[in-house]
Amino acid sequence: MGKSASEIAELVASGRRSAVEFAEEALDAIERSNGILNAFLSVNRDLTLEAAGRIDAMVAAGEKVGRLAGVPVALKDNMCQIGFDTTCASKILNGWSPPYSATVVQKMIAEGAVTVGKTNLDEFAMGSSTENSAFGPTRNPIDLERVPGGSSGGSAAAVAASIVPLALGSDTGGSIRQPASLTGVVGVKPTYGVVSRYGLVAFASSLDQIGPFSRTVGDSALALEVISGWDNMDSTSYDGAKFSLVSQQGVPMDGVRIGIVKEFMDGCDEEVLAAVRAAAEQLSKAGAKVDEVSIPETKLGLSAYYIIAPAEASSNLARFDGVRFGLRVEGSDIAETNVKTRTAGFGDEVKRRIMLGTYALSSGYYDAYYGKAQQVKTMIKRGFERAYRDFDALISPVSPTTAFRFGERASNPLAMYLSDVCTIPSNLAGHPAMSVPFSADSSGLPIGIQVLAPALGEELMFRIAFSIERSSGGGGFGSLDPALEEVMTGGR
Amino acid sequence: MVDSETNQSPSAPSFLPEGWEIVCGLEVHTELKTRTKLFCGCLNEFGSYPNTNICPVCLGLPGALPVLNGEALEIAARIGLALNATVQASIFHRKNYFYPDMPKDFQISQYDIPLNADGYLILPSGVRIGIVRAHMEEDTGKITHLGGSSGRIHGAERALIDYNRSGVPLVEIVSAPDIASPDEARQYVTELRAILIAIGASDGKMEEGSLRVDANVSVRPIGESEFRTRCEIKNLNSLRSLVRAITYEAQRQVEVYTAAGEVLQQTRHWDEDRSITVALRTKEEAEDYRYFPEPDLVPLEPTESWIGGLRESLPELPRQRRLRLCDLVGLDSANDQIETAILPELYGFVDAALNAGVDPKLVVARASNELASLLPIPDGYELEWFSDLCRMEMERKLSSTQAKAVLQESVKSLTPPAVVRDRLGITQLDDDELMIQIKSIVEENSDEWTRLKAGEMQLKGFFIGQIMKKTGGKADGKIAAKMLAVLLSED
């Protein structure tokens, strides 16, 4: 079990351990594990050690270092950082090195974090298993025969395998929470607009939100405090949202009204349901008032999502045309170059969604598809608002099942899409939600509990998450796959 | 919305066969004179070295996001107010299509809810042209085709793209189909351009592409209430092209109908060299732009107080200026002199001279006849030099002939008029001396004088000429004429 981000930051800031040491540990762990885990797509050893060295120099000079001093951090490879390639796990961007860094990256670095590498994902964040990566799937550290979930599977796996204490992912329909649940770590999707999207390669702009992965609730709280806030480079970012999240640890639950979302329980594995009920019982014991609540509108979430997200994606991904950056396959004229480049560069799932989205936006179909889906989005928001008249927060399963095997759903897109049925409504509503590891099924596979809160309700959401973490015993679930364990500790 | 039926010109253009009329609407794109681009901090500057005013946002790099330029929004709303439009809550849309000059492969534009709607513009003739909308959007990059023989897209070997223009703020002003002739189209663009310059929205340079015009043209038999199929004409780079293209296109369509053919809804290109319009694409081939609301930008919700502030800050508009000048010089309606004197390029000079208390008639005359012929007035010619010149003439320190010469030299050499006058050694005769000179001319030419007195009035010119010759041009022609008249009546 690796150290937490807050422990590392304290050790480095006080000069007891060096940032370079932690960076080297993380880089070595990537090198040892990546052959079987494939959590990372790229590293830049020199840049990482140089950044860590700067932190150590600051400490030595008695300068103030940030709240993440020397903390090794992994970035999902759809976020830009100067010095690292950004591929989005797509052949179309293979080798593209951005000339600028995402706002979240700048904020993390300003607090002393040291980025150690870019993590694997489903191509352009489209998928729920990381099997759609053009550079091969990531394996679940708990069971190498199973998927880590997705699309932020690489970040989840990197944290679950204790390669890094902290990683960033992006969540458009569950892409942080579902892999967090399947790998037994904490994963947070903040309120839409709380974290700047500048420098995140867009999938579905109105739904995308960056958030942290960590092994403790406290580390995610710390990370979210660092990366949230107004950004003048993102028009949709919230002005003035500043949370006190770390301080929510241990705040009593007395009188907090928590609803279990009935619709999210439908169709879930029995062991998942049992975990949610057990977590509810623990919350009651802690003083919360727990009851069931029905939000029937959420049933429409999946359908609306698979209109809105592909529609926006079809437009967002148009720029990958072979003209300015990334892959270029020459044709006899520019139109043919566009087509050849995109045919060669995009994988099947990306093509499927571009086609879906293009169709949904076509004149004559717009009202029936995109227009209708927007109405559903509003309905779901209202449904949540109704629930929040009687409840302060909600809980539910994150994923209907625990981690599934490779190939199990890859050939059946609809079955794959159903992985996100409990997570999508929060994206459509723009509300915060997170996955907190709580228990494991009979095969030892982790089960996370989803905590949902109203817009900007992050403080209460974290208070509940801390409570769940405490009642579960804390520290994540499921032990590493023995084969991985052996590689990770090999030679020691 | 303006009812176009009530706005028809009384007569159809004479170049069309009897019984036919033109229905024309114009789409005018104007680049806004902002410091920076519409959605990023890059400089909005014409003529910079290619691909130097660029950043992740206007290059459409993965992960970059647009942020609206407040200055552009203000100018766009001022355009709406100057065109008597309603400035309303609005949103941005994405217009999706693939083209290499469009870095994101979509253009951020406004679609069904524009910033400005339902305005109008009144031509100098008094004809009212409806403005359907005036909305914001971003400009594209600029492609230069190289190689091949024609210099055109077809046959070019390669293309260079300059993204300096990518993301430059544009406002598209769409008129109602209220324009009934090529000349009205010319008047409309002229007046619109003057408005845009007056409010500081645009520099109005058609040759640099900061004002671009597309014309929607259809024809119909007079008396028919339905609109017929229209064609959109592109590549109208000057007022001359605009007039010629509409004329050609209207004649073409009438010929098609006369031959019992059908006009197809097409986008047509004005070929300046061949003086014809050529079909680019028909409606069936038109792209589906898959418009949808731009999720990366927030809705615009202008407040009443913000709009009120902008309205108050609007300067005098060309129409008000025209009426004011007419009033000052005592005209009921504007003549060509007034129209010239209100050219945006002359605003500052005319105002400075009027403020200096110069006779408005003299100001309008010197501005429209002399100053206008010297356009473009070079930087460095000071506003007050023009008022100084007018004042010198008004105070008869210069004759009108001298004033014209001094003005020309003053603009050419960027020198104050008093200095020019001294340099040219110009002095004005006083009236007594002029009278003495005139009397001696009368004596020297007694034959002609007798004939003039007998009623051969054309000999007046002869005497004026003699006076000018004798005084070396120092005499004021008007004064001389008056003195001549006095002498005639005295004898």
Side-chain angles (χ1 to χ4, degrees):
Chain A
M1 188 71 200
K3 291 190 165 51
S4 74
S6 52
E7 285 167 348
I8 293 172
E10 206 196 317
L11 288 169
V12 170
S14 63
R16 278 176 285 167
R17 293 278 299 274
S18 77
V20 168
E21 227 179 305
F22 284 113
E24 275 177 338
E25 250 178 48
L27 289 167
D28 290 349
I30 294 170
E31 208 173 295
R32 282 199 304 275
S33 66
N34 222 42
I36 52 170
L37 209 52
N38 200 29
F40 284 81
L41 293 180
S42 63
V43 294
N44 185 336
R45 194 175 187 96
D46 293 346
L47 199 78
T48 295
L49 293 178
E50 197 187 304
R54 269 198 304 276
I55 302 294
D56 289 334
M58 285 170 75
V59 172
E63 288 172 41
K64 191 181 179 301
V65 286
R67 305 175 69 195
L68 295 175
V71 175
V73 173
L75 290 178
K76 187 178 183 179
D77 200 22
N78 58 355
M79 288 172 227
C80 295
Q81 181 177 2
I82 295 173
F84 287 86
D85 286 357
T86 297
T87 68
C88 294
S90 179
K91 280 187 283 185
I92 211 158
L93 266 181
N94 199 7
W96 181 64
S97 187
Y100 74 107
S101 293
T103 298
V104 285
V105 173
Q106 295 176 34
K107 287 192 170 202
M108 299 270 271
I109 289 174
E111 288 293 334
V114 176
T115 47
V116 297
K118 307 294 289 290
T119 60
N120 201 3
L121 63 151
D122 286 299
E123 185 178 4
F124 284 103
M126 297 175 185
S128 307
S129 66
T130 320
E131 289 168 288
N132 294 335
S133 168
F135 309 116
T138 295
R139 293 174 184 276
N140 192 323
I142 310 300
D143 180 346
L144 296 173
E145 300 302 311
R146 292 172 188 270
V147 303
S151 65
S152 313
S155 283
V159 172
S162 293
I163 297 168
V164 286
L166 204 57
L168 293 185
S170 66
D171 189 314
T172 307
S175 281
I176 291 174
R177 291 161 286 163
Q178 185 254 17
S181 180
L182 268 48
T183 59
V185 300
V186 178
V188 184
K189 184 208 91 76
T191 303
Y192 184 79
V194 155
V195 178
S196 168
R197 292 180 292 116
Y198 188 74
L200 167 70
V201 181
F203 160 19
S205 312
S206 71
L207 307 171
D208 295 344
Q209 192 61 189
I210 294 171
F213 286 97
S214 61
R215 289 186 297 278
T216 68
V217 173
D219 276 358
S220 274
L222 174 61
L224 186 52
E225 284 184 13
V226 167
I227 63 174
S228 60
W230 164 252
D231 179 15
N232 63 8
M233 299 301 280
D234 179 356
S235 316
T236 63
S237 74
Y238 264 114
D239 200 355
K242 261 295 158 203
F243 303 120
S244 179
L245 304 175
V246 176
S247 66
Q248 298 299 320
Q249 180 152 25
V251 176
M253 296 294 295
D254 296 316
V256 176
R257 301 167 302 166
I258 298 173
I260 304 173
V261 187
K262 186 171 156 286
E263 285 74 15
F264 292 176
M265 306 286 272
D266 293 349
C268 289
D269 282 0
E270 197 45 54
E271 288 187 286
V272 171
L273 295 178
V276 174
R277 290 193 197 102
E281 207 167 297
Q282 292 296 325
L283 287 168
S284 295
K285 271 190 199 159
K289 201 172 158 294
V290 186
D291 208 343
E292 198 172 71
V293 60
S294 172
I295 313 174
E297 295 92 335
T298 56
K299 286 264 180 202
L300 302 169
L302 197 68
S303 316
Y305 176 85
Y306 276 99
I307 298 295
I308 294 171
E312 292 181 10
S314 72
S315 173
N316 284 329
L317 270 59
R319 71 192 66 192
F320 304 101
D321 57 8
V323 175
R324 290 163 306 277
F325 43 75
L327 184 72
R328 178 184 179 99
V329 182
E330 291 289 345
S332 61
D333 60 15
I334 189 63
E336 200 184 298
T337 299
N338 290 161
V339 171
K340 283 190 163 174
T341 300
R342 292 165 68 79
T343 303
F346 288 138
D348 286 348
E349 183 61 26
V350 173
K351 285 176 186 162
R352 183 179 294 124
R353 298 205 196 186
I354 289 173
M355 285 189 275
L356 266 175
T358 302
Y359 182 80
L361 288 176
S362 301
S363 81
Y365 298 99
Y366 180 91
D367 291 339
Y369 293 104
Y370 194 78
K372 196 61 98 183
Q374 289 294 337
Q375 287 172 3
V376 169
K377 190 178 171 184
T378 306
M379 280 172 62
I380 287 173
K381 217 171 186 169
R382 291 213 188 104
F384 274 117
E385 278 163 15
R386 198 181 56 246
Y388 286 128
R389 271 184 235 140
D390 300 323
F391 296 93
D392 301 308
L394 306 171
I395 60 168
S396 79
V398 178
S399 164
T401 67
T402 51
F404 44 94
R405 290 176 191 281
F406 287 102
E408 208 176 301
R409 298 183 192 171
S411 56
N412 183 349
L414 202 58
M416 188 71 90
Y417 296 171
L418 281 167
S419 309
D420 297 327
V421 70
C422 303
T423 47
I424 278 171
S426 299
N427 296 83
L428 292 170
H431 292 172
M434 65 191 285
S435 176
V436 188
F438 182 75
S439 58
D441 70 7
S442 48
S443 319
L445 297 170
I447 301 173
I449 304 297
Q450 184 171 224
V451 185
L452 306 88
L456 302 176
E458 269 82 349
E459 290 184 356
L460 178 63
M461 180 174 81
F462 269 92
R463 203 206 302 185
I464 296 166
F466 275 120
S467 180
I468 292 173
E469 180 179 52
R470 194 168 55 243
S471 68
S472 73
F477 278 87
S479 42
L480 294 191
D481 190 292
L484 177 65
E485 188 83 55
E486 196 186 315
V487 173
M488 297 287 286
T489 55
R492 291 206 176 173
Chain B
M1 183 77 66
V2 176
D3 178 7
S4 66
E5 295 305 301
T6 62
N7 281 290
Q8 293 304 322
S9 276
S11 59
S14 57
F15 58 82
L16 284 188
E18 203 170 315
W20 289 90
E21 66 177 1
I22 295 180
V23 178
C24 172
L26 296 182
E27 292 170 15
V28 176
H29 284 87
T30 178
E31 281 183 351
L32 302 187
K33 226 169 58 181
T34 52
R35 198 180 69 79
T36 56
K37 293 186 182 181
L38 187 53
F39 297 119
C40 64
C42 290
L43 287 181
N44 169 15
E45 205 171 63
F46 182 83
S48 297
Y49 191 79
N51 295 313
T52 52
N53 297 331
I54 51 169
C55 74
V57 176
C58 58
L59 272 186
L61 293 189
L65 297 170
V67 175
L68 181 63
N69 175 351
E71 188 193 7
L73 174 62
E74 244 182 62
I75 295 178
R78 283 161 70 94
I79 291 175
L81 294 171
L83 295 174
N84 310 292
T86 306
V87 179
Q88 59 184 11
S90 63
I91 59 169
F92 285 98
H93 270 71
R94 288 187 186 177
K95 180 181 182 178
N96 295 285
Y97 65 96
F98 283 88
Y99 207 71
D101 64 5
M102 182 71 76
K104 304 184 293 298
D105 287 302
F106 61 79
Q107 180 192 30
I108 303 178
S109 179
Q110 294 195 294
Y111 181 50
D112 52 355
I113 321 173
L115 177 68
N116 308 298
D118 293 345
Y120 62 87
L121 179 155
I122 295 176
L123 300 182
S125 63
V127 170
R128 178 184 150 124
I129 307 294
I131 304 288
V132 177
R133 55 189 284 150
H135 71 255
M136 279 184 279
E137 61 186 30
E138 57 179 337
D139 210 344
T140 63
K142 198 171 180 349
I143 299 187
T144 307
H145 293 277
L146 291 183
S149 51
S150 63
R152 297 271 312 272
I153 297 174
H154 296 288
E157 280 155 12
R158 59 204 181 99
L160 302 176
I161 314 180
D162 176 8
Y163 288 110
N164 283 349
R165 203 180 66 180
S166 165
V168 161
L170 291 178
V171 165
E172 180 178 344
I173 301 153
V174 182
S175 88
D178 293 347
I179 294 165
S181 69
D183 187 58
E184 268 188 14
R186 186 190 53 76
Q187 283 183 47
Y188 170 83
V189 173
T190 306
E191 187 72 2
L192 181 58
R193 179 174 173 275
I195 292 171
L196 294 173
I197 295 172
I199 63 176
S202 163
D203 57 21
K205 290 177 182 162
M206 280 183 96
E207 66 279 11
E208 284 182 7
S210 54
L211 206 67
R212 308 198 278 270
V213 184
D214 300 332
N216 284 299
V217 178
S218 67
V219 296
R220 64 180 170 186
I222 293 172
E224 192 170 290
S225 59
E226 298 289 301
F227 291 134
R228 292 199 173 188
T229 306
R230 66 171 191 271
C231 290
E232 183 180 2
I233 312 170
K234 294 193 174 286
N235 192 40
L236 305 173
N237 296 325
S238 65
L239 291 175
R240 190 177 121 89
S241 305
L242 175 72
V243 168
R244 295 177 69 213
I246 295 173
T247 306
Y248 172 86
E249 180 62 18
Q251 285 171 333
R252 183 190 74 84
Q253 291 184 15
V254 169
E255 273 170 32
V256 170
Y257 287 125
T258 308
E262 270 305 303
V263 170
L264 301 175
Q265 185 167 339
Q266 286 173 330
T267 301
R268 299 178 72 86
H269 175 92
W270 171 246
D271 186 329
E272 183 76 42
D273 295 337
R274 292 154 69 199
S275 298
I276 57 170
T277 64
V278 187
L280 282 180
R281 54 180 179 269
T282 56
K283 196 194 174 193
E284 290 70 43
E285 302 161 31
E287 284 193 67
D288 179 352
Y289 292 121
R290 294 177 286 120
Y291 280 102
F292 75 103
E294 166 57 277
D296 289 329
L297 290 168
V298 291
L300 301 175
E301 280 148 7
T303 62
E304 279 307 316
S305 68
W306 183 78
I307 295 170
L310 290 183
R311 186 175 275 126
E312 273 168 33
S313 74
L314 282 184
E316 183 184 43
L317 298 175
R319 179 172 170 73
Q320 298 162 324
R321 186 175 189 78
R322 174 182 298 117
L323 297 175
R324 180 164 65 92
L325 283 189
C326 284
D327 206 38
L328 282 172
V329 303
L331 283 172
D332 287 341
S333 63
N335 56 18
D336 285 353
Q337 265 201 347
I338 298 285
E339 288 304 331
T340 309
I342 65 166
L343 282 180
E345 292 85 348
L346 302 178
Y347 265 37
F349 299 106
V350 170
D351 279 344
L354 291 174
N355 290 337
V358 179
D359 174 21
K361 276 185 188 161
L362 181 60
V363 175
V364 168
R366 287 295 155 268
S368 60
N369 297 338
E370 278 75 38
L371 201 53
S373 72
L374 299 170
L375 286 174
I377 307 297
D379 290 344
Y381 179 75
E382 307 281 338
L383 291 181
E384 57 268 28
W385 293 353
F386 179 68
S387 12
D388 290 349
L389 177 105
C390 292
R391 178 174 285 284
M392 285 159 71
E393 185 181 351
M394 192 173 78
E395 292 170 353
R396 295 187 30 211
K397 289 173 184 157
L398 290 174
S399 70
S400 58
T401 315
Q402 290 166 339
K404 290 171 191 174
V406 170
L407 176 53
Q408 190 146 17
E409 183 55 28
S410 179
V411 171
K412 214 170 104 187
S413 61
L414 301 179
T415 313
V419 176
V420 173
R421 184 191 55 182
D422 295 346
R423 192 193 291 157
L424 297 181
I426 291 173
T427 49
Q428 178 80 327
L429 291 172
D430 68 36
D431 290 358
D432 293 346
E433 194 176 334
L434 179 58
M435 197 51 139
I436 292 166
Q437 301 271 19
I438 293 175
K439 281 180 176 165
S440 82
I441 289 169
V442 167
E443 278 169 28
E444 284 160 24
N445 301 282
S446 53
D447 274 6
E448 285 81 359
W449 185 248
T450 312
R451 281 159 59 198
L452 176 59
K453 284 186 73 172
E456 265 187 68
M457 297 312 282
Q458 65 268 33
L459 281 168
K460 256 189 193 169
F462 165 78
F463 278 98
I464 299 289
Q466 289 298 313
I467 294 164
M468 287 303 172
K469 200 170 152 192
K470 188 152 186 149
T471 60
K474 288 178 190 172
D476 185 308
K478 279 188 212 153
I479 308 281
K482 269 187 200 158
M483 288 182 171
L484 215 52
V486 170
L487 282 180
L488 272 173
S489 61
E490 271 175 7
D491 283 13

